[in-house]
Amino acid sequence: MNETFILDDNRLFAPVQVGAGNGYAHVDTGARHSSILYSHAGPFPGAGSRQIHGALGTTTVFQVRLDAFQFLGQAFHDIRADVQPDAVGGLGSLPFPVMMALGCDVLLQKPLYLDFTTNEIGFLDEAAPATAPQVRLEADFTLGLPLFQVSLGEHVLEALFDTGAGMGVINQQRVGALQEALTEAKPLEVEDATGVKHSLPTFKCRGLTVGERPLNDCKVLALDLGAFEQLADRSLDFVFGINAMRDQHWVINPQASWIEIG
């Protein structure tokens, strides 16, 4: 079942039903775990707490156990979700009701289809409808996240396919080596998943390709991704955000270990 998604300030939202309530979920393939906003968490039993690591800080969140909810025509049961403040990321001030954020514990249970030309999202039982020649790339899902390779000029980058990032991110430690593809722009204040805010340098990124498919120039943040690399015990050069995904359609298939662009 395909649904129409909403893009708001380079954030992707799709319809969800939680209990008797209907609203929207923030679709975030850069998060391992799903979360629910505090005002919708009350009916669900507590499930302890955990520490979460954002790009800029660390915090502890309480969790609840979601016995059932509906998303893209599928029923999900017994999902342990973080409880987040209603105001996190400005979600409470949007002109449509946001109930939760869905991470890879839900989104990668089946192949996920995202079409930015028609604003459609769905789970696939078969291959996505072909609207353009396909480019299929090997992907690594061993960390529970979609990791793949992109190219920036002559450089091959280890990347995270992250629909929770409105803007792409270059690992600050790689900026020097990639200078020929980056033009410095105005700094931007950002807030990470833990609520920490910081002013970060930004760059215009040129020559980004996925497989043999050239993509439009896009703006990227420069951020130290060393904390992720240490926790994951692997390198991460680039966070592939919504602004790089635009104008294409994608299939993320963890069962077959590939990502496809069309």
Side-chain angles (χ1 to χ4, degrees), residues 90-115:
L91 297 181
S93 62
L94 293 174
F96 46 89
V98 179
M99 305 178 75
M100 62 187 307
L102 293 176
C104 290
D105 54 347
V106 170
L107 298 172
L108 298 187
Q109 290 196 24
K110 286 192 169 187
L112 181 68
Y113 176 58
L114 294 166
D115 190 338

Side-chain angles (χ1 to χ4, degrees), residues 15-245:
V16 68
Q17 181 180 345
V18 183
N22 290 288
Y24 284 83
H26 183 209
V27 177
D28 186 359
T29 61
R32 292 185 181 90
H33 300 275
S34 296
S35 62
I36 188 166
L37 296 188
Y38 178 83
S39 60
H40 299 287
F44 302 104
S49 64
R50 74 177 186 96
Q51 193 174 66
I52 62 173
H53 304 272
L56 303 172
T58 301
T59 191
T60 298
V61 294
F62 293 103
Q63 295 183 301
V64 294
R65 192 170 300 279
L66 304 182
D67 50 5
F69 63 91
Q70 299 276 338
F71 180 67
L72 302 181
Q74 303 288 322
F76 294 89
H77 301 276
D78 199 27
I79 298 294
R80 190 167 174 170
D82 301 335
V83 178
Q84 296 279 14
D86 287 8
V88 67
L91 297 181
S93 62
L94 293 174
F96 46 89
V98 179
M99 305 178 75
M100 62 187 307
L102 293 176
C104 290
D105 54 347
V106 170
L107 298 172
L108 298 187
Q109 290 196 24
K110 286 192 169 187
L112 181 68
Y113 176 58
L114 294 166
D115 190 338
F116 286 90
T117 66
T118 60
N119 283 17
E120 283 188 294
I121 181 173
F123 289 121
L124 299 181
D125 293 318
E126 299 177 356
T131 57
Q134 310 290 304
V135 176
R136 183 173 293 180
L137 303 123
E138 291 184 5
D140 183 356
F141 296 89
T142 55
L143 295 178
L145 297 167
L147 299 163
F148 71 129
Q149 291 184 334
V150 301
S151 295
L152 187 58
E154 297 180 353
H155 300 273
V156 177
L157 307 181
E158 300 296 328
L160 167 65
F161 189 94
D162 187 358
T163 59
M167 185 185 298
V169 177
I170 288 280
N171 192 331
Q172 196 167 35
Q173 299 174 16
R174 317 289 194 267
V175 168
L178 301 171
Q179 281 184 341
E180 72 278 5
L182 303 173
T183 303
E184 191 167 1
K186 184 179 178 181
L188 182 69
E189 184 177 77
V190 299
E191 177 181 342
D192 79 353
T194 68
V196 175
K197 293 183 179 179
H198 205 276
S199 180
L200 297 174
T202 69
F203 298 87
K204 184 178 180 181
C205 176
R206 305 178 307 279
L208 185 64
T209 61
V210 174
E212 300 299 321
R213 182 70 59 87
L215 302 180
N216 295 331
D217 294 349
C218 63
K219 195 174 182 181
V220 296
L221 294 167
L223 183 64
D224 185 358
L225 300 177
F228 175 93
E229 293 181 309
Q230 185 174 4
L231 285 169
D233 193 26
R234 64 179 296 158
S235 63
L236 181 65
D237 306 311
F238 190 70
V239 176
F240 192 82
I242 290 280
N243 65 336
M245 301 175 194

